Amino acid sequence: MGPELDLRDRPTEERRRGLFDALTEADVGETVDVTAAADVDVHLVRYQIERGRNLAWTYADPDAEPRRLTVTKGDPLDDGALGAIDVRDLKPQRRHQVLLAAFDELGGGEGFVLVNDHDPKPLYHELTSMHGDVVDWEYRTRGTDGWRVEIVKTGESNADDTGVVTRYDVREIPKAERHPTIHHRYGMIPEGGTIELIAPHEPRPLRGEFRQRYGDSFVWEVVEDEPGRCRVRVTKDVRSDEGDDRGEGTRGEGTCGEGTRGEGNDRDEGSDPTRKEDGIEVIEELDVRDLPPAQRHERIFETYADLESGTGFVLVNDHDPKPLYHQFTAEAGPAFRWEYRLKDPGEFRVLIGKSNATDAATDGAATDGAATDDVVADDGKPASGGSEAPF
């Protein structure tokens, strides 16, 4: 058993210094057991860059706090090689946070290898929207043993993220991928957080989707509206759960600075009349809480793909699987059904099913729930087409 390092009561710089010192003193192959108040992946990426040394680390739990992880010191990096950050054991929300922070800290010419359990294409769109053309993105491997992408910052970034959690320039995202990418990331931002969208014009169809999916729980604000460029900020409204009776919000008309609140309907995805469980026979319960995060989505989609029309299963998860809902709605077609049955800390239960052919026909032909393969261009950059797994 290696040394133990408790960083919980240390300021940021002291946390980094303490972590660096412990790893420098460790021998090759030795482990350091770390306890921290927050994720330390950014510090570990910096250690690999500054000390030219391989590291491997695993968190004991994908989301529990304090954060507990085991870091193993490896051999020196080969000349020109980049250190890796494996995010497969992190909760999806944490993945974006640590990867954005790690990229922010990179200097020109610095980078890392991202290891993930599926194509991290949404991150590519997010980084290029935030930082512009200084993102060099090259796929190294793709497959069941993990996706590996080499990410390098080619120069200094002029990113300005003041007041927002993240930004997407949808003009640079293939049209078929825009809405799924935005919904997937919006589901991860905290209450009170803001996502900024840059589009050629106000994306009113997207605003309609937000009303349908999130009811009165968001504020839509157009902050810039010029020919060919419209900036919209969408904020998760923390006041939406306070029980106030405001009724239907105002509709924005694209005027700069005018806020738009989602139309009030006091319902979540589970009570959408097109998502009711009528006629769905529950045939099993799928509890994924004991599975590593890397295996959960694969098991869920396999179970859905095996369903017959008119059947479903109850998914049991340790957090709200809302990003999964967005992926299903983007890929599974009108036969897909989703119904929350329990929302408790540490235990969420959701009925996931396929309606029968007659019901699905009212909305159009149903499609199979299995995800299609992502497409990667010959130059290593993400190509248009295909589907995106929640990241």
Side-chain angles (χ1 to χ4, degrees), residues 161-175:
D161 57 0
T162 305
V164 301
V165 174
T166 191
R167 173 184 296 112
Y168 282 102
D169 188 338
V170 302
R171 298 171 299 178
E172 305 299 325
I173 302 176
K175 186 174 181 180

Side-chain angles (χ1 to χ4, degrees), residues 239-280:
R239 296 169 297 173
S240 63
D241 295 327
E242 294 179 357
D244 54 332
D245 185 12
R246 293 171 295 173
E248 184 172 312
T250 59
R251 290 175 178 262
E253 298 300 331
T255 305
C256 184
E258 181 173 330
T260 306
R261 201 175 299 281
E263 294 182 1
N265 53 12
D266 291 331
R267 59 184 172 89
D268 57 24
E269 296 93 331
S271 56
D272 186 331
T274 66
R275 300 276 182 243
K276 286 184 179 178
E277 61 184 283
D278 295 347
I280 300 295

Side-chain angles (χ1 to χ4, degrees), residues 88 113-120 139-149 374 376:
R88 289 177 292 184
V113 174
L114 166 62
V115 183
N116 198 34
D117 49 17
H118 57 264
D119 187 351
Y139 287 93
R140 292 301 188 187
T141 64
R142 293 170 285 159
T144 56
D145 61 338
W147 292 68
R148 287 170 171 79
V149 184
D374 286 308
V376 179

Side-chain angles (χ1 to χ4, degrees), residues 37-70:
D39 296 308
V40 296
D41 304 76
V42 176
H43 304 321
L44 297 173
V45 170
R46 289 307 311 172
Y47 186 90
Q48 293 181 101
I49 292 172
E50 296 178 14
R51 304 298 171 89
R53 175 75 63 170
N54 276 302
L55 297 176
W57 61 96
T58 304
Y59 284 91
D61 185 277
D63 196 42
E65 295 179 350
R67 307 297 285 147
R68 302 184 188 278
L69 66 154
T70 300

